[in-house]
Amino acid sequence: MSLFITSLNSGSNGNCYYIGNEREAVLIDAGISCRGTERRMNRIGLSISAVKAIFISHEHADHITGIPGISKKHQIPVYFTESTFQSSKVPIEDHLLNYFKGGQTITIGSLAIKAFTKFHDACDPQSFMVTGNQVNIGIFTDIGSVCQPLIEHFQQCHAAFLESNYCEDMLANGSYPIYLKKRISGKFGHLSNFQALELFVKYKPPHLSHLILAHLSKNNNDPLLVEKLFGEKAGSTKISVASRYQETEVYKIEYTPVILPRKAVPLKQLSLF
Ligand SMILES: [Zn+2]
Ligand SMILES: [Zn+2]
């Protein structure tokens, strides 16, 4: 009654997240090279032969650059929404191309991958929740603002990769041009440390054993700051920060009963702390 998860790489230079049971696994996004993916998996004792499918969240380069190499060499099927595939323009063999729609659940062996739409400046961006052995894992990165489906899926998770992209002060006082600051902090950009922390503090379910903060900005964030911020509010949840340079350890996520709140309170009605 467990799943194994790791971040193989996380950030604007490439994203790839592994979720699997003892026999089979899926990757969410393929934003690093085939060699980089293989090397990271080898180091932590994971086999790419277990990977039965790759699911793509959106067409930005840091989520798709590894697709042609990995899918061709290992003959792994890749799942896109139709418009994400058209926008990504990656070469892929016909028999490996598969489509899904937002709201749909796809079954790969004994894993169920549920997609749902998110706010991000891509054509049809999707978040995912992967379920196996009754364990729910959220993959929530590249999100401009928190929406109700994100809250509802977060509340079901035993572990989640959650974007904590930028520190508001570092972005505001940094050297990025105004248009880029606006894009990052806008409704269709990325989640700030504060936005991610607010989601965590207000909606953390009792069964959430692991939170892995992800997609940290190189220039506008600091992993130690993120670890401290979330560590202070962690309670019984183990906090980790995914690296933009290497894989995390493999986390074993155990099933515990999912306890859902009677009714989620809309985020805008709450004030933090
Ligand atoms: Zn990204
Ligand atoms: Zn993106």
Side-chain angles (χ1 to χ4, degrees), residues 66-245:
I67 294 171
I70 300 171
S71 68
K72 188 175 169 62
K73 179 172 174 187
H74 297 284
Q75 291 292 296
I76 301 173
V78 186
Y79 289 74
F80 304 79
T81 72
E82 207 165 336
S83 56
T84 294
F85 175 66
Q86 275 149 19
S87 304
S88 47
K89 299 185 178 72
V90 285
I92 179 167
E93 293 172 21
D94 281 351
H95 70 282
L96 298 176
L97 173 60
N98 297 272
Y99 292 128
F100 68 89
K101 289 188 167 74
Q104 197 177 349
T105 300
I106 304 277
T107 303
I108 303 289
S110 51
L111 299 172
I113 298 88
K114 183 175 181 199
F116 62 97
T117 303
K118 62 186 174 186
F119 289 116
H120 192 53
D121 54 359
C123 65
D124 189 14
Q126 303 289 321
S127 287
F128 298 103
M129 189 175 78
V130 179
T131 302
N133 295 334
Q134 298 187 63
V135 176
N136 299 324
I137 310 292
I139 303 91
F140 308 137
T141 73
D142 299 72
I143 298 169
S145 42
V146 173
C147 59
Q148 198 62 30
L150 176 59
I151 293 171
E152 286 168 12
H153 286 89
F154 182 66
Q155 289 176 319
Q156 297 174 50
C157 286
H158 295 89
F161 298 95
L162 175 65
E163 176 167 66
S164 193
N165 185 267
Y166 64 96
C167 160
E168 292 81 356
D169 290 344
M170 289 174 76
L171 180 67
N173 300 320
S175 61
Y176 281 15
I178 295 286
Y179 82 89
L180 195 50
K181 289 182 179 182
K182 282 191 171 158
R183 188 239 141 193
I184 292 167
S185 61
K187 187 178 177 187
F188 296 93
H190 291 277
L191 279 190
S192 70
N193 294 347
F194 184 84
Q195 287 173 300
L197 187 64
E198 183 172 38
L199 177 71
F200 176 62
V201 169
K202 295 298 182 192
Y203 298 107
K204 176 171 82 91
H207 45 273
L208 184 79
S209 64
H210 290 68
L211 182 73
I212 301 136
L213 285 318
H215 213 301
L216 271 68
S217 166
K218 183 182 178 201
N219 299 313
N220 301 307
N221 214 346
D222 174 355
L224 293 176
L225 169 72
V226 172
E227 209 168 323
K228 183 170 180 294
L229 268 178
F230 284 81
E232 286 167 357
K233 305 285 180 188
S236 58
T237 303
K238 179 179 165 54
I239 303 291
S240 321
V241 177
S243 168
R244 54 189 293 123
Y245 304 109

Side-chain angles (χ1 to χ4, degrees), residues 48-69:
I48 203 158
S49 64
V51 176
K52 307 301 182 204
I54 302 170
F55 285 77
I56 302 302
S57 63
H58 65 295
E59 71 273 22
H60 291 162
D62 54 318
H63 299 261
I64 64 168
T65 38
I67 294 171

Side-chain angles (χ1 to χ4, degrees), residues 3 19 41 56 91 178 219 251:
L3 285 182
I19 297 103
M41 288 180 74
I56 302 302
I178 295 286
N219 299 313
Y251 300 105

